[in-house]
Amino acid sequence: MTLPPAFPILPSVTLRAQGVRETPVLSTADARELTIGEAVGIGIEENPAIRAARFRRAATGAGLLEAWGNFLPELNLDAFLQKSGRGEFVVGGVAFQSPESYTTYYQFVLSHRLFDAGRDFLRLGAARAERRAADAQVDEDRLRTAAAVRRRYVEALTAQSLGEQAGREILARRRRLDLAQARFDLGEVTRSDVLQARIAVSQAEVELARQREEAGRAKLELLREMGVHADADSIELVARLEPFEPELDADALVRASLATHPALRRLRGETDVRRSEHGIAKTAYLPTLQAGITWSSTADDTTEFLFSDFNDRSVYSLSLTWELFGGFTRHAGTSRAKAEVRASEEAVRAAELEVEAAVRAAVLAVETAYARRLAQAEEVELAREQLDLAQERYRIGSLSFPDLTDAQVTFAAAETAAIGSVHDFFLALAALEEASAQPVFPEDRP
């Protein structure tokens, strides 16, 4: 993946470790604008879980090549060379001298299974199923990482929005402090109103500091989920989350999920592997037929190590191996393999039930979150109207400052809940996309 221009990777500040891939580090010189789509794209490329799944998938390619290799003949070379020095041996009291000699031997053996009871085809099927399962595992990790990055982004954006709301709250409380001070200067209220207003401003400033800390932590969690080393101040979240009325068909989402969800595809691939292993176990009852050709050349006790002294020979063989009775080992092996197939099939069925339940629950969560958002928006408007009335009544002296503070607290709580309802809606969408493996999360709207 090519990273967006606004998000450079700096090779000069990468972290290195022996045997570990260089980990990208984002520049902290200036805050870079980051959309949800860009965050997901970087996470899919750099998240350690996805990278590990890709490595395992690459290994299945070697397994598939090995399965194809079973259809080819085997060629082996055996060689032997021995040198004996001069010596002496005695027979009947007479000493004889033995000359220096060489013994050498080599042979090429070409063999091929003419009939292997179908094992090679079953092994090839198992290797293909393992490949499909590995592909599905990569897709599953991509889906999980994309959902996790979206959640972290939304959580960070929520903390950022709450910080902005805390900043607005400080300005509003300072205006009320000015109003209380003006009324105190005119002698219309006691100093208690001014002190309460100052306490309210201080509390808002503390809340702003807390929200800024939460926003920093949320950004760090986002960067961790993306698989990137960087400071929280190195990114600026620019996505705008605008809730929309969801038009979701739970039945259609369930059907699509049952057909394409990577977790189910992975389990089905693993079930196909178990079926192939069951077939291989059953072939133990069948014979195997193998043909072979051996070319050998030997030379014993040659004093000159001349190639003309070699004895060349060719041997052709055809062998049949068939276990007619070997106890009940084969029966036990096929029984265990069949049990593994049935257990794997039940695991698929359990996963299908889980996916369906998760999708339907996620649809309900999205619809509930949208309804809550509408209710919170209305509550904010009512609280704002109540606050305006309270401020006007306090200005004319018909309302106490504690009552004005209560109205402000009510409005601030409503506004905070409204911000949370917006982001809860998108968190529910992210959960629905993860549960269904269908694209329901909206495109970026920076």
Side-chain angles (χ1 to χ4, degrees):
M1 172 187 174
T2 302
L3 297 179
F7 236 79
I9 297 295
L10 303 181
S12 60
V13 288
T14 53
L15 300 182
R16 293 176 172 85
Q18 184 176 359
V20 180
R21 175 183 177 274
E22 292 183 354
T23 305
V25 180
L26 300 183
S27 170
T28 58
D30 298 302
R32 306 294 179 176
E33 294 184 349
L34 179 67
T35 65
I36 295 180
E38 290 170 344
V40 170
I42 296 173
I44 288 175
E45 287 298 318
E46 301 298 337
N47 185 275
I50 296 180
R51 294 186 60 81
R54 288 181 183 140
F55 294 146
R56 287 190 289 268
R57 179 181 62 180
T60 63
L64 188 59
L65 186 63
E66 178 187 16
W68 278 111
N70 291 329
F71 292 94
L72 302 177
E74 294 183 2
L75 179 62
N76 296 298
L77 168 65
D78 293 330
F80 172 79
L81 175 62
Q82 176 179 293
K83 177 184 178 181
S84 300
R86 296 180 183 273
E88 181 181 273
F89 63 96
V90 179
V91 178
V94 180
F96 296 90
Q97 299 292 324
S98 61
E100 184 180 73
S101 64
Y102 297 89
T103 301
T104 185
Y105 160 83
Y106 71 90
Q107 73 172 5
F108 289 96
V109 180
L110 179 67
S111 62
H112 185 57
R113 290 188 300 270
L114 301 179
F115 177 72
D116 196 27
R119 294 185 186 93
D120 291 340
F121 291 98
L122 293 170
R123 293 188 185 102
L124 179 59
R128 286 172 170 169
E130 287 178 351
R131 179 71 176 191
R132 291 195 301 273
D135 289 337
Q137 182 64 65
V138 173
D139 292 340
E140 185 178 359
D141 288 337
R142 286 167 60 95
L143 176 66
R144 186 181 300 111
T145 298
V149 170
R150 289 190 180 102
R151 283 195 297 269
R152 296 300 185 186
Y153 192 104
V154 171
E155 289 168 0
L157 201 60
T158 301
Q160 180 176 291
S161 299
L162 290 175
E164 295 170 354
Q165 190 266 343
R168 294 192 300 271
E169 181 67 12
I170 290 177
L171 296 177
R173 294 191 179 191
R174 284 175 178 170
R175 287 194 296 269
R176 280 186 290 280
L177 172 59
D178 294 339
L179 177 59
Q181 184 67 50
R183 295 197 64 200
F184 173 73
D185 293 341
L186 295 174
E188 296 178 354
V189 296
T190 65
R191 186 166 179 76
S192 175
D193 287 9
V194 177
L195 294 176
Q196 291 183 57
R198 287 180 177 174
I199 292 174
V201 170
S202 298
Q203 291 173 341
E205 291 173 344
V206 172
E207 178 64 18
L208 175 60
R210 190 184 69 83
Q211 291 297 341
R212 285 177 175 171
E213 180 185 1
E214 289 297 324
R217 289 179 180 176
K219 284 184 179 181
L220 291 174
E221 285 297 315
L222 169 61
L223 292 167
R224 180 191 61 80
E225 203 70 56
M226 291 165 55
V228 175
H229 290 272
D231 185 80
D233 294 333
S234 65
I235 57 175
E236 179 183 354
L237 310 183
V238 296
R240 291 186 304 162
L241 302 184
E242 300 175 359
F244 56 90
E245 184 174 1
E247 298 179 358
L248 302 173
D249 187 339
D251 293 333
L253 285 173
V254 168
R255 287 193 298 270
S257 300
L258 293 178
T260 63
H261 199 289
L264 296 179
R265 290 192 288 112
R266 173 179 55 79
L267 290 173
R268 288 163 184 159
E270 293 173 355
T271 301
D272 290 339
V273 173
R274 302 288 89 77
R275 292 193 180 104
S276 296
E277 292 174 346
H278 181 217
I280 292 173
K282 290 192 296 184
T283 60
Y285 290 96
L286 300 176
T288 59
L289 181 64
Q290 181 166 313
I293 304 175
T294 302
W295 296 279
S296 64
S297 183
T298 61
D300 296 328
D301 298 332
T302 60
T303 58
E304 301 279 337
F305 194 57
L306 300 176
F307 285 97
S308 59
D309 295 333
F310 277 56
N311 177 25
D312 298 326
R313 178 181 297 180
S314 298
V315 178
Y316 302 89
S317 63
L318 183 65
S319 62
L320 175 69
T321 303
W322 195 353
E323 183 183 344
L324 299 180
F325 180 75
F328 299 99
T329 303
R330 291 176 294 182
H331 173 70
T334 54
S335 298
R336 284 193 294 266
K338 187 175 182 179
E340 289 297 326
V341 171
R342 291 180 174 176
S344 187
E345 290 172 346
E346 291 303 314
V348 171
R349 193 169 72 89
E352 289 174 346
L353 294 172
E354 184 177 352
V355 166
E356 179 175 2
V359 170
R360 294 188 184 280
V363 169
L364 291 175
V366 170
E367 293 173 346
T368 301
Y370 181 72
R372 178 170 172 262
R373 165 56 187 163
L374 295 180
Q376 291 296 150
E378 182 178 1
E379 183 177 339
V380 169
E381 292 302 319
L382 294 175
R384 179 181 290 109
E385 183 177 352
Q386 180 183 11
L387 177 60
D388 292 341
L389 292 174
Q391 289 181 153
E392 183 61 28
R393 292 179 61 192
Y394 179 76
R395 183 175 291 106
I396 63 177
S398 61
L399 187 71
S400 66
F401 191 82
D403 291 335
L404 175 60
T405 300
D406 290 342
Q408 174 58 36
V409 170
T410 300
F411 173 73
E415 194 173 28
T416 299
I419 293 173
S421 68
V422 171
H423 299 91
D424 287 346
F425 175 79
F426 285 93
L427 288 175
L429 278 179
L432 174 58
E433 183 159 316
E434 182 179 13
S436 65
Q438 303 302 309
V440 298
F441 203 90
E443 297 294 331
D444 284 334
R445 290 191 295 271

